[in-house]
Amino acid sequence: KLRFASAGAPPMILVPGIAERAALCDASGLPLGIERGTQYQLHQRDFPPDSRLLLFSDGLSEFPDCGNRIGDDGLVEALDRCGTGLTPHQVLDRLCETAGITENKVLPDDTTIICLDRRGGAGMKAHGDSLFVSDSPALSPTGGV
């Protein structure tokens, strides 16, 4: 089970199983700090094995700053096109590419993306917290290879 409250974040996207379609999970709420004493509703959703969950800031769905934005519905469609064999890192790369985010573009807004994957075998090696990281060897603490 997922239990969550939202404070002005975009809706998360849940793919509830291997053969299922992605769907927006609305949990709208007042952004933090707007009004003192705000009570937030606790939401609950099933998060069964073989599910995938995408959490993101509006920097992803609203990129680029001008022009054609992918939007929440476009992210749902893009997530549906991601094959079940992709690792979470590959899913994030595909979503960013679909949204127009490439390593040569400057992001006009903060962009945070998290992909939680409950599929068996979805394991992956860590790549750090940046996009488009190659499979190069890890750097030593001194900065050399």
Side-chain angles (χ1 to χ4, degrees):
K1 296 273 184 203
L2 294 170
R3 291 177 182 88
F4 58 95
S6 181
M12 61 186 173
I13 302 173
L14 177 65
V15 182
I18 291 174
E20 302 294 324
R21 307 228 358 124
L24 293 169
C25 298
D26 186 35
S28 52
L30 196 61
L32 289 175
I34 298 292
E35 187 176 308
R36 185 179 301 261
T38 300
Q39 298 290 315
Y40 292 91
Q41 181 179 357
L42 181 64
H43 301 273
Q44 183 170 299
R45 301 284 289 218
D46 287 335
F47 190 39
D50 295 325
S51 296
R52 185 181 278 163
L53 180 70
L54 186 72
L55 305 159
F56 55 96
S57 65
D58 62 359
L60 175 61
S61 57
E62 295 178 359
F63 185 83
D65 198 26
C66 59
N68 295 330
R69 296 179 175 178
I70 191 169
D72 297 341
D73 292 332
L75 288 173
V76 168
E77 291 172 18
L79 194 55
D80 273 339
R81 287 192 303 268
C82 289
T84 59
L86 297 180
T87 66
H89 184 81
Q90 292 168 322
V91 169
L92 297 183
D93 281 350
R94 292 253 179 110
L95 292 174
C96 287
E97 289 168 11
T98 302
I101 298 172
T102 65
E103 55 188 320
N104 297 324
K105 297 234 178 156
V106 176
L107 297 174
D109 192 2
D110 65 311
T111 303
T112 302
I113 314 165
I114 300 169
C115 181
L116 302 176
D117 202 322
R118 291 207 59 208
R119 294 172 304 127
M124 57 174 274
K125 61 184 178 182
H127 283 283
D129 63 354
S130 60
L131 293 174
F132 313 107
V133 177
S134 68
D135 289 330
S136 62
L139 295 177
S140 73
T142 60
V145 176

